[in-house]
């Protein structure tokens, strides 16, 4: 800007006005006060022109009180005088005083009204700004371009589309549409109000466009994911600024087009004289992180060092994330140590945490977490999830307890992670505590928390609670909600109900995913609905275009095998387009054991052991099958082979939780401090249920022993000991919840039905494949297991 030339000395007022305007550059109120004193001494303080200049000086240097004193002392005021003091208050956000001045102005002009509109807009009182504009039009005062741009900004801020359209009509009527700032403001207003169609119409009708106009449209297309249209607009631009390039790089990065983001960034460095800013570099580094490409990330880091770019804030955090995600976690940590952990944001910390998790070393991540000054809910959640993903459930629980005591309120992601811990532990006690935390923090109605609650309660054996949670989110259910409930019902032996729920899911238009179909096929398996299972298997592929995975194949093999269709199960395996896994062959082997098909069992066991030579289940199943068929010599050879190869049989054990303590029992367990009472209780129960008609299944003891010895072994199975302890340790009518790591044997299944009737309690047993609800002498599986 050219320097002001001093006026010819025709007037002292002109000279002092010139001095005031010159002093504005230094923003020095003291200089203004000296000139003010000279004006009074020269007797020039009665002139409106000079006093307006003086008042304007005080207002612009922030001395509003001095400006108001000058205003009050003026004997004659014109509209400029009123507008100057009004504008001073409005710019400072003191709209109460500005309003009083505004009400007193005798002749308001467009500047008066615009000052109020701008003032309200700046402090976020957008409704008041719009009201002032409406009153301005009602007073027949013509708005300026500046008025229009501000009222459109207010409309966009509160998404007042109807009013914005009326302003647009006003703009067209008064011929202001050709003004680029006004047209750009209309573009922004329509985009913020979600009307992209009209925004494009406005853009296309603009005869003159500047860089901001093009940037707005690029941003619009990127926001809606139309990266092709954004690129088309970008290529049409004759002049681009940093915002143009940033919109493209950040937009590509945000929508997963990371390769394209890096290409645009590279073109910017080669073809443009513009230098990247912190937003460009952060987006480019984010693209490298997503692609896990260390070399391009290092090149960008080298550029940052070469240009001495400030790495505090977004760029530093993007560097940490890039290195952590791309296998350079130690470099990421060095950057943190150099810049200080206080500069680390949660996204970068989470990336660093994930980096250490990939290395299987979570301790450095905990050290960084402990050093963070401001740990928000995302940081706490990231650390908890890190523990959960590494199977460190106790550490996750401890950290969650600390969070409740000293940290921020847990959010839905934290609670969902903790409910996952409870699900893994099958701990109803912990699950209910976390449910209470969710209710206290108003997160219980969150869909993610509700879905986790459905799974937690189901895995803890409380199906009714799962149903209650599912019913509470009736209007907000997503695919995961339906799937979780279908799987819960299937696992608890309610196959028909699971299938009914699946049909309801389809009827309301919720699209199932591959996990939903695992649940519904599993439901068919547990209740023996072979034809229904076949139908769903084909529906999955034909209607929903879901390609079967090994989990779906395993369900079908299990479906055929449980129903005794062993040859069909074997044919299905042979027809699979992928190599059958351990679960597929293991499922067939288990079915062969049930139906005593020795020849096919040998085939399944051999194939299983080729895949997993140390699989003890294959040896045990085959040996047990030989024993069940009376082929003791063959069984002995299998067990000898197992011993020679150092393969140890999986030890069966059962556990239950009483008064927040977990009690674990093995077969013939003699370690529990209450063992004598437990054994006496089991002896008593055994005698009583035999009187009721229970016949011990001594064929389940696959050893050539005396009948009495066999009965004693059956009596001391882990789940029976756990039930005896539960009966001794809990009040009458209390439901017993027993967890077991292997399948329940035939004898235990039969005995527990009698025990449930004898003691008048529900006994819930979760084995390795499903839940059994024993009540009044029957089981929820209807003996199909």
């Amino acid at each position: 800007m050219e320097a002001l030339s001093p006026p010819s000395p025709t007037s002292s007022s002109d000279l002092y006005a010139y001095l005031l305007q010159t002093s504005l550059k230094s923003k020095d109120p003291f200089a203004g006060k000296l000139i003010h004193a000279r004006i009074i001494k020269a007797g020039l303080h009665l002139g409106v022109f000079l006093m307006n200049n003086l008042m304007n000086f005080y207002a612009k240097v922030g001395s509003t009180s001095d400006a108001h004193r000058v205003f009050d002392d003026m004997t004659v005021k014109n509209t400029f005088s009123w507008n100057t003091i009004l504008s001073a208050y409005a710019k400072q956000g003191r709209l109460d005083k500005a309003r009083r001045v505004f009400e007193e102005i005798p002749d308001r002009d467009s500047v008066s009204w615009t000052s109020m509109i701008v003032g309200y807009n700046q402090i976020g009182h957008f409704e008041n700004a719009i009201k002032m504009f409406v009153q301005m039009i009602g007073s027949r005062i013509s708005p300026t371009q500046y008025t229009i741009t501000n009222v459109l900004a207010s409309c966009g801020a509160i998404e007042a589309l109807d009013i914005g359209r009326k302003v647009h009509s006003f703009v067209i009527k008064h011929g202001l549409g050709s003004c680029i700032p006004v047209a750009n403001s209309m573009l922004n207003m329509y985009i913020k109000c979600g009307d992209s169609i009209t925004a494009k119409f406005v853009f296309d009708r603009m005869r003159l466009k500047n860089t901001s106009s093009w940037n707005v449209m690029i941003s619009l297309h990127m926001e809606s994911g139309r990266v092709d249209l954004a690129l088309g607009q970008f290529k049409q631009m004759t002049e681009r600024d940093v915002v143009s390039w940033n919109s493209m790089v950040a937009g590509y990065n945000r929508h997963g087009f990371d390769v394209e983001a890096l290409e645009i960034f590279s073109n910017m460095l080669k073809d443009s004289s513009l230098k990247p800013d912190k937003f460009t570099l952060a987006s480019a580094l984010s693209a490298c992180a997503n692609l896990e490409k260390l070399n391009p990330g290092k090149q960008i880091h080298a550029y940052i060092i070469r240009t001495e770019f400030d790495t505090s804030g977004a760029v530093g955090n993007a560097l940490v994330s890039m290195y952590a995600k791309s296998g350079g976690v130690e470099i990421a940590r060095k950057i943190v140590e150099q810049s200080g952990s206080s500069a680390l944001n949660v996204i970068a910390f989470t990336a660093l945490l994930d980096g250490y998790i990939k290395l299987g070393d979570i301790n450095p991540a905990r050290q960084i977490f402990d050093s963070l000054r401001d740990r928000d809910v995302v940081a706490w959640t990231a650390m908890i999830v890190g523990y959960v993903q590494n199977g460190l459930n106790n550490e996750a629980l401890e950290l969650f307890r600390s969070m409740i005591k000293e940290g921020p309120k847990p959010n839905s992601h934290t609670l969902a992670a903790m409910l996952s811990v409870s699900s893994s532990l099958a701990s109803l006690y912990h699950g209910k505590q976390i449910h209470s935390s969710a209710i206290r923090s108003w997160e219980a109605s969150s869909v993610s928390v509700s879905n986790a609650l459905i799974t937690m309660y189901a895995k803890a054996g409380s199906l009714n609670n799962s149903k209650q949670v599912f019913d509470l989110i009736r209007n907000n259910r997503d695919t995961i909600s339906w799937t979780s409930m279908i799987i819960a019902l299937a696992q608890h032996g309610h196959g028909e109900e699971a299938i009914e729920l699946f049909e309801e899911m389809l009827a309301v238009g919720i699209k199932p995913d591959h996990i939903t179909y695992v649940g519904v096929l599993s439901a068919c398996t547990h209740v023996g609905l072979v034809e229904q299972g076949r139908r769903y298997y084909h529906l999955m592929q034909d209607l929903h275009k879901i390609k079967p995975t090994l989990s779906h194949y395993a369900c079908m093999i299990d479906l055929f095998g449980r129903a005794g269709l062993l040859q069909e199960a074997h044919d299905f395996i042979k027809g699979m387009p992928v190599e059958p896994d351990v679960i597929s062959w293991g499922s067939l082997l288990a079915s062969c054991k049930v139906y005593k098909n020795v020849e096919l069992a040998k085939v399944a066991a051999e194939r299983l052991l080729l895949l997993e030579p140390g699989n003890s289940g294959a040896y045990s199943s085959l040996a047990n099958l030989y024993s069940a068929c009376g082929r003791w010599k063959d069984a002995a050879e299998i067990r000898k082979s197992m011993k020679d190869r150092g393969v140890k049989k999986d030890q069966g054990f059962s556990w239950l939780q009483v008064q927040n303590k977990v009690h674990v029992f093995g077969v013939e367990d003699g370690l529990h401090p209450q063992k004598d009472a437990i054994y006496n209780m089991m002896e008593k129960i055994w005698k009583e249920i035999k009187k009721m008609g229970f016949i011990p299944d001594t064929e389940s003891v696959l050893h050539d022993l005396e009948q009495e010895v066999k009965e004693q072994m059956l009596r001391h199975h882990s789940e029976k000991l756990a039930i005896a302890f539960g009966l001794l340790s809990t009040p009458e009518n209390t439901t017993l919840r027993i967890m077991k790591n292997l399948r329940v044997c035939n004898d235990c299944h039969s005995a527990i039905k009698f025990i449930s009737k004898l003691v008048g309690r529900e006994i819930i047993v979760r084995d390795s494949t499903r839940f059994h609800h024993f009540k009044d002498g029957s089981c929820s599986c209807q003996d199909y297991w």
Side-chain angles (χ1 to χ4, degrees), residues 236-287:
Q236 290 180 55
M237 294 179 73
T238 53
E239 290 184 19
R240 299 167 183 147
D241 59 11
V242 173
V243 176
S244 317
W245 291 95
N246 284 352
S247 296
M248 292 300 298
V249 178
Y252 273 133
N253 171 230
R254 188 165 60 250
H255 292 290
F257 294 89
D258 295 300
V259 172
E260 291 80 357
L262 291 177
E263 285 176 0
I264 289 285
F265 176 72
S266 177
N267 291 339
M268 179 183 184
L269 295 178
K270 287 188 294 186
D271 304 337
S272 172
S273 60
L274 296 167
K275 290 183 178 179
D277 63 10
K278 61 182 180 181
F279 301 107
T280 332
L281 292 167
S283 295
L285 287 166
S286 174

Side-chain angles (χ1 to χ4, degrees), residues 204-308:
D204 292 340
R205 294 290 296 271
M206 289 172 67
R207 282 178 290 177
L208 296 173
K209 302 178 179 80
N210 63 6
T211 305
S212 295
S213 316
W214 290 94
N215 288 345
V216 169
M217 290 307 295
I218 290 171
S219 178
L220 167 65
H221 293 316
M222 281 299 187
E223 284 293 327
S224 60
R226 296 301 306 272
V227 295
D228 51 341
L229 295 180
L231 180 62
Q233 300 276 286
F234 182 76
K235 286 180 176 178
Q236 290 180 55
M237 294 179 73
T238 53
E239 290 184 19
R240 299 167 183 147
D241 59 11
V242 173
V243 176
S244 317
W245 291 95
N246 284 352
S247 296
M248 292 300 298
V249 178
Y252 273 133
N253 171 230
R254 188 165 60 250
H255 292 290
F257 294 89
D258 295 300
V259 172
E260 291 80 357
L262 291 177
E263 285 176 0
I264 289 285
F265 176 72
S266 177
N267 291 339
M268 179 183 184
L269 295 178
K270 287 188 294 186
D271 304 337
S272 172
S273 60
L274 296 167
K275 290 183 178 179
D277 63 10
K278 61 182 180 181
F279 301 107
T280 332
L281 292 167
S283 295
L285 287 166
S286 174
C288 293
N290 292 341
L291 294 168
E292 297 184 8
K293 294 215 175 260
L294 192 57
N295 286 335
K298 281 184 173 180
Q299 289 173 2
I300 296 171
H301 192 184
Y303 172 85
I304 290 168
I305 294 169
R306 197 166 58 247
T307 56
E308 298 181 347

